[in-house]
Amino acid sequence: MTPFTTLTGVAVPLRAANVDTDQIIPARFLKTIKRTGLGRHLFADLRRDPDFVLNRPEYAGAQILIAGENVGCGSSREHASWALIDYGIRCVIAPSFADIFQNNALKNGVLPVALPAAACEALTADAELGPNARLHVDLERQIVVRPNGEAFPFAIDPLRREMLLEGLDDIGVTLRHVPAIEAFEARRPAWGL
């Protein structure tokens, strides 16, 4: 995984609550176990509307998405996180997230930031100003900074924070312990049949 330390950029204002995983990546695109190529199908059904926010040129290349409460509800498909990261979205800001989606996002390098609804509204209003209103997400300091300098602190599990900062997935965390695993294996008795 690519480490996540800080991110400064344009944010996509998605004024919607209960954005479910079928909206993020419709089921018809789940015919792959590859993590790449799904970004082009991100919000595919909503993007049929030419006025949908991701179709607007001022949000091309955005790496931050701001939405309403309960992002990632619905099915537990990991493809939703894969589609976000493949599209280039590294951070999703919302008042709340579905548990499984939040875990999948963290395991795949997408930072879910839960902030109070009022803070999300302020950030959404900033994002609606277009590409000149850039947000700053600082995982090390655990803050999101508005273009006017106002900062909103956020909480994150310390282990997940460390994993994102170092660019480690669950396997990467295990591999940090290879010397201890090899030492254990060398000490244990051979199991005969």
Side-chain angles (χ1 to χ4, degrees):
M1 269 187 343
T2 303
F4 188 117
T5 53
T6 63
L7 174 62
T8 301
V10 175
V12 176
L14 181 61
R15 286 196 175 270
N18 301 310
V19 175
D20 66 40
T21 54
D22 195 54
Q23 290 172 307
I24 296 170
I25 183 74
R28 66 185 176 277
F29 301 113
L30 305 183
K31 299 175 184 172
T32 182
I33 57 170
K34 294 181 181 177
R35 297 179 185 210
T36 58
L38 294 171
R40 68 178 176 266
H41 304 299
L42 182 70
F43 294 109
D45 292 341
L46 296 173
R47 289 169 77 181
R48 290 178 183 165
D49 176 357
D51 294 327
F52 182 65
V53 67
L54 285 182
N55 293 333
R56 295 171 47 189
E58 61 266 34
Y59 297 108
Q63 295 180 289
I64 303 167
L65 175 73
I66 307 169
E69 64 186 25
N70 200 26
V71 172
C73 57
S75 70
S76 61
R77 63 183 68 155
E78 193 167 13
H79 291 72
S81 296
W82 296 352
L84 287 165
I85 201 79
D86 191 55
Y87 185 83
I89 301 292
R90 294 292 317 271
C91 178
V92 179
I93 302 170
S96 61
F97 297 90
D99 288 342
I100 295 173
F101 172 82
Q102 184 172 19
N103 286 324
N104 284 339
L106 288 164
K107 289 180 179 188
N108 287 286
V110 177
L111 174 62
V113 174
L115 292 175
C120 289
E121 178 56 37
L123 293 169
T124 299
D126 290 338
E128 288 173 338
L129 297 174
N132 291 330
R134 299 167 64 83
L135 302 182
H136 179 72
V137 180
D138 187 329
L139 179 57
E140 292 178 327
R141 296 174 48 211
Q142 293 179 223
I143 58 170
V144 176
V145 184
R146 298 179 64 192
N148 69 5
E150 181 181 10
F152 299 115
F154 63 89
I156 183 171
D157 175 81
L159 176 61
R160 291 296 177 194
R161 177 179 174 271
E162 178 184 347
M163 290 171 69
L164 283 171
L165 287 170
E166 294 184 28
L168 298 173
D169 59 11
D170 290 339
I171 294 170
V173 170
T174 301
L175 291 176
R176 292 192 311 185
H177 303 285
V178 166
I181 293 168
E182 288 173 343
F184 172 81
E185 289 295 321
R187 286 190 319 267
R188 76 173 178 85
W191 300 101
L193 296 176

